[in-house]
Amino acid sequence: GEWHGVGAARLGLAGKVHDKDFIALLENRTPQGAKLTARDRANRVPMIDFTFNAPKSVSLLWALTEDERLATAHKLAVSEAMAEVEANMETRVRKGRHFNTDNVRKTGNIIWAGFHHDTARPIDGYPDPHLHTHAAVINATWDDEERQWKAVQIGNIAAEREYYEAVYLASLAHQ
């Protein structure tokens, strides 16, 4: 995989995903080992997986031609969709007069790793062509106002998942 996002850059993560860094983040630790977010419960959700699937016709064309422009177009479309996710990322506001309410604040940053695949599970022993990407979003976002890493508030983004899929498909079609 490869690192993406303003949050990843803030932590010094770029380029290839290394197991130790990814596992540290899943365990709510920075790559240097410090605690990432304030809450460190055993049952916390460590990441959210956004999966972007190319239409079957694109996957088949790629499998038949091995034209890397198709895989590149898919990756660019994923990046555009995830840029929208990042721009709309929020966290809960739990300090001061807003404590114990459902108030959220837009943070506009995430830490995500993109894992690209070109096949799905085999069918009757044969690989099934399927360009797709797992965008693994770490459950942490930097809150500038509170000056700390906090858990993401994914509810509004999850409610608009069709929009992000449409951003991906429109970008892929444009590519």
Side-chain angles (χ1 to χ4, degrees):
E2 292 183 20
W3 289 114
H4 301 274
V6 173
R10 184 179 194 89
L11 289 174
L13 297 169
K16 183 180 177 185
V17 173
H18 297 284
D19 290 352
K20 69 175 189 62
D21 296 331
F22 191 72
I23 291 168
L25 291 167
L26 293 177
E27 294 175 345
N28 199 32
R29 299 289 179 262
T30 67
Q32 296 76 30
K35 194 172 177 182
L36 186 60
T37 67
R39 293 184 178 218
D40 208 7
R41 300 183 319 213
N43 66 343
R44 68 184 286 280
V45 174
M47 61 157 255
I48 300 98
D49 180 19
F50 290 80
T51 305
F52 294 93
N53 302 290
K56 194 60 161 182
S57 57
V58 174
S59 293
L60 287 172
L61 185 60
W62 180 86
L64 293 171
T65 66
E66 295 184 7
D67 185 341
E68 283 303 312
R69 293 177 298 173
L70 296 165
T72 299
H74 165 74
K75 290 175 184 178
L76 287 171
V78 169
S79 291
E80 286 188 27
M82 288 305 295
E84 283 289 307
V85 168
E86 181 165 48
N88 291 303
M89 188 53 67
E90 299 172 323
T91 191
R92 281 189 176 162
V93 178
R94 294 183 173 202
K95 288 190 176 180
R97 63 185 175 93
H98 301 294
F99 187 74
N100 283 335
T101 67
D102 288 327
N103 288 333
V104 295
R105 177 176 18 254
K106 194 169 280 192
T107 61
N109 68 83
I110 55 175
I111 306 161
W112 70 278
F115 298 95
H116 303 290
H117 303 282
D118 54 24
T119 60
R121 289 185 178 93
I123 297 174
D124 295 327
Y126 295 99
D128 183 25
H130 182 75
L131 284 176
H132 66 286
T133 298
H134 295 274
V137 177
I138 301 299
N139 188 6
T141 185
W142 178 257
D143 184 341
D144 271 333
E145 192 167 319
E146 293 183 29
R147 310 289 303 154
Q148 67 179 359
W149 290 99
K150 295 169 57 178
V152 301
Q153 178 60 22
I154 203 72
N156 290 332
I157 289 173
E160 299 293 329
R161 64 185 172 272
E162 292 88 3
Y163 166 74
Y164 299 104
E165 181 71 15
V167 169
Y168 162 76
L169 291 170
S171 176
L172 182 63
H174 178 75
Q175 300 296 325

